[in-house]
Amino acid sequence: MNNKTNKYKQGVIQAIQAFVKQKLANDFSGHDMAHIERVVRLAEQILQHEPKANAFIVIVSAYLHDVIDEKVVADVNQAVIELRDYLILQALTDNEMKMIFDIIENMSYRKNLNQKKELSLEGQIVQDADRLDALGAIGIGRTFYYGGNKHNIMYDPNISPRMALDEDNYKRPNTVINHFYEKLLLLKDMMNTQTAKKLAEPRHQFLVQFIEQFEKEWTGKE
Ligand code: NI
């Protein structure tokens, strides 16, 4: 990128950041702007080790990855139309739009349950960054926060985690602790990039330790 394009791209990224901030201002499900900024930061960290990736596509997709997600918006089709219109206003090329939509429409955990989607290198980086933010101390905090928002109970030893998840039953109410077994503890082995695999390790260990302690305290076997 020469300096002039670089400046232009920075301007587009800033505009998109403001757009997302406004879209997610009323989110209380753990997909707020703070989550987005952490995902962008993690994506930048991974990018340092992936010189072949298109950094602009990675950063824009990281900012936009939750604005058309059904967990966050009531009407997904409407959100897609608004986002497309907005990106056209920002003068993104058809090719850039296609790359971004391919990523944000296919990267979620639920969308990959029935069949694993092929993602571009840029998509793999954003997916890794988003999944890293579901692990570690932040991941635990977000999981309980989300569970409370959805009125899920914390734990019931009589409700077992579901081993056969698909796109439909994944959305059913569940206990917060089961979410660790059905998703969070599996993420470490699903990372795409070497950098994310490394970053996932201590975050994963923290989850394992947390679950062990939680179950000890629950059963009184401390
Ligand atoms: Ni996210």
Side-chain angles (χ1 to χ4, degrees):
M1 262 190 277
N2 66 35
N3 256 352
K4 206 172 156 197
T5 2
N6 205 3
K7 227 183 200 154
Y8 159 72
K9 298 269 184 203
Q10 282 304 331
V12 172
I13 289 171
Q14 273 170 16
I16 287 172
Q17 182 186 28
F19 171 84
V20 175
K21 197 172 177 183
Q22 178 237 324
K23 289 279 171 209
L24 299 181
N26 296 315
D27 180 83
F28 295 96
S29 75
H31 303 88
D32 57 4
M33 198 59 194
H35 161 65
I36 303 300
E37 296 288 3
R38 287 191 304 269
V39 172
V40 170
R41 203 183 60 219
L42 285 161
E44 283 170 345
Q45 219 173 318
I46 300 171
L47 262 176
Q48 288 175 7
H49 305 274
E50 301 292 339
K52 289 196 191 115
N54 178 328
F56 178 70
I57 296 294
V58 169
I59 300 303
V60 170
S61 304
Y63 271 115
L64 293 173
H65 83 273
D66 274 333
V67 296
I68 59 162
D69 192 304
E70 58 176 8
K71 289 192 298 296
V72 179
V73 294
D75 185 342
V76 173
N77 291 336
Q78 184 58 32
V80 168
I81 293 167
E82 281 176 28
L83 178 57
R84 240 176 238 290
D85 288 349
Y86 185 74
L87 295 181
I88 291 169
L89 275 182
Q90 294 302 322
L92 264 70
T93 66
D94 284 351
N95 190 40
E96 287 171 332
M97 299 261 281
K98 189 185 174 312
M99 287 181 84
I100 292 163
F101 273 95
D102 273 350
I103 295 171
I104 64 177
E105 285 180 330
N106 292 307
M107 62 174 267
S108 79
Y109 188 69
R110 190 176 78 81
K111 286 275 181 66
N112 283 272
L113 283 171
N114 289 2
Q115 196 193 348
K116 197 178 176 325
K117 305 271 200 283
E118 278 302 320
L119 291 176
S120 59
L121 173 60
E122 289 77 12
Q124 293 178 20
I125 294 170
V126 182
Q127 187 182 55
D128 279 357
D130 191 36
R131 289 179 169 178
L132 284 168
D133 203 52
L135 301 180
I138 298 271
I140 295 170
R142 289 182 63 220
T143 303
F144 280 85
Y145 189 81
Y146 183 81
N149 178 289
K150 296 287 167 204
H151 297 190
N152 291 335
I153 59 168
M154 273 211 301
Y155 184 44
D156 181 345
N158 296 315
I159 305 176
S160 315
R162 297 161 301 178
M163 283 307 143
L165 278 181
D166 59 39
E167 282 189 34
D168 294 317
N169 72 11
Y170 182 66
K171 283 186 285 187
R172 292 206 197 115
N174 195 13
T175 73
V176 172
I177 293 295
N178 279 352
H179 189 66
F180 284 76
Y181 292 101
E182 294 172 356
K183 175 179 172 186
L184 306 187
L185 293 169
L186 310 178
L187 291 178
K188 167 180 78 83
D189 293 327
M190 296 166 71
M191 294 295 165
N192 305 298
T193 63
Q194 287 308 318
T195 314
K197 282 180 190 159
K198 241 183 258 165
L199 291 170
E201 199 53 53
R203 292 178 183 227
H204 175 84
Q205 285 314 321
F206 196 77
L207 294 188
V208 172
Q209 205 191 335
F210 172 81
I211 285 285
E212 278 172 13
Q213 180 69 15
F214 186 98
E215 285 175 357
K216 268 190 208 161
E217 291 176 18
W218 190 279
T219 53
K221 287 183 191 148
E222 284 166 78

